């Protein structure tokens, strides 16, 4: 069990690294489109509108990636706790179910991210035997975890906006 959870922890940390890389690339691309939109606003208004629309779409994708990163961060913390103290809490099962719910509710999740969620989900349940009543309760609590991740994102945005 412990070795499987350690492997899962490594997968989650690797996934967060990939996510940060994608976030940085998309942020740079969105900023580039925003600058192009501003610079072409007076000469080519149609082109400027397309750049602005593309930038907005990229910002939307970045928001979903940020939410996914928060959920993975929660999962990483819980997995680290389990590896060190060898105790599985209900919260961990809730977070794993929240990942599955996030995948279900996010229509634009790419193939690679979708496979990643599936790997984490199956890897967790292959490593840990969870009774069915706990699984059912966790599915209900998954929506609460998703709301908490949105709240964390809003709080982080507030902190970033006050720093600048």
């Amino acid at each position: 069990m412990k070795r499987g959870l350690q492997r899962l922890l490594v997968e989650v940390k690797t996934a967060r690294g990939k996510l940060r890389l994608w976030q940085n690339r998309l942020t740079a691309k969105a900023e580039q489109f925003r600058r192009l939109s501003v610079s072409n606003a007076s000469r080519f208004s149609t082109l400027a509108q397309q750049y602005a629309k593309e930038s907005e779409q990229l910002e939307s994708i970045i928001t979903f990636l940020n939410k996914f990163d928060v959920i993975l961060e929660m999962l990483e913390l819980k997995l680290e706790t389990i590896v060190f103290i060898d105790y599985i809490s209900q919260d961990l099962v809730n977070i794993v179910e929240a990942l599955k719910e996030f995948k279900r509710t996010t229509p634009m999740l790419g193939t690679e991210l979708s496979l990643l969620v599936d790997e984490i989900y199956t890897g967790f349940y292959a490593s840990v035997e969870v009774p069915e009543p706990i699984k059912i309760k966790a599915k209900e609590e998954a929506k609460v975890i998703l709301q908490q991740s949105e709240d964390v994102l809003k709080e982080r945005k507030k902190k970033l906006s006050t720093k600048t």
Side-chain angles (χ1 to χ4, degrees):
M1 175 179 96
K2 199 166 188 174
R3 187 164 307 285
L5 289 174
Q6 289 171 340
R7 195 171 299 128
L8 189 62
L9 179 60
V10 170
E11 281 182 31
V12 170
K13 286 184 178 198
T14 304
R16 287 194 66 214
K18 285 180 184 178
L19 259 179
R20 281 189 224 108
L21 212 147
W22 291 332
Q23 287 169 327
N24 291 337
R25 287 180 184 168
L26 289 176
T27 302
K29 198 63 132 170
E31 183 60 35
Q32 178 185 10
F33 282 135
R34 206 173 301 113
R35 276 188 267 119
L36 286 170
S37 174
V38 169
S39 67
N40 289 316
S42 61
R43 294 180 296 184
F44 308 107
S45 62
T46 308
L47 185 62
Q49 287 174 347
Q50 288 177 332
Y51 283 140
K53 189 175 181 179
E54 187 70 28
S55 178
E56 288 174 19
Q57 289 174 344
L58 288 174
E59 288 296 330
S60 174
I61 293 170
I62 290 168
T63 301
F64 281 112
L65 289 178
N66 287 337
K67 187 175 177 182
F68 188 47
D69 187 45
V70 168
I71 295 169
L72 286 178
E73 182 180 6
M74 291 176 176
L75 181 60
E76 181 181 338
L77 291 171
K78 293 296 180 182
L79 284 171
E80 285 175 343
T81 303
I82 288 173
V83 168
F84 289 120
I85 65 171
D86 208 21
Y87 173 74
I88 298 175
S89 67
Q90 174 72 41
D91 291 344
L92 176 64
V93 181
N94 295 348
I95 293 171
V96 171
E97 289 298 329
L99 264 178
K100 193 71 166 180
E101 181 69 17
F102 178 75
K103 177 187 170 192
R104 192 183 65 72
T105 59
T106 307
M108 58 190 211
L109 200 62
T111 307
E112 189 172 347
L113 291 178
S114 184
L115 287 172
L116 179 68
V117 170
D118 288 339
E119 281 179 23
I120 292 171
Y121 188 82
T122 56
F124 173 75
Y125 284 113
S127 300
V128 177
E129 193 170 317
V130 179
E132 196 61 35
I134 292 178
K135 258 187 180 180
I136 293 169
K137 184 178 179 192
K139 288 180 182 182
E140 296 166 4
E141 293 291 323
K143 291 180 175 87
V144 175
I145 298 289
L146 289 176
Q147 183 59 46
Q148 287 175 346
S149 69
E150 287 178 17
D151 295 342
V152 168
L153 273 178
K154 289 176 186 173
E155 196 63 36
R156 286 181 181 176
K157 283 183 181 181
K158 280 183 188 176
K159 285 183 182 179
L160 283 176
S161 65
T162 57
K163 284 184 180 180
T164 55

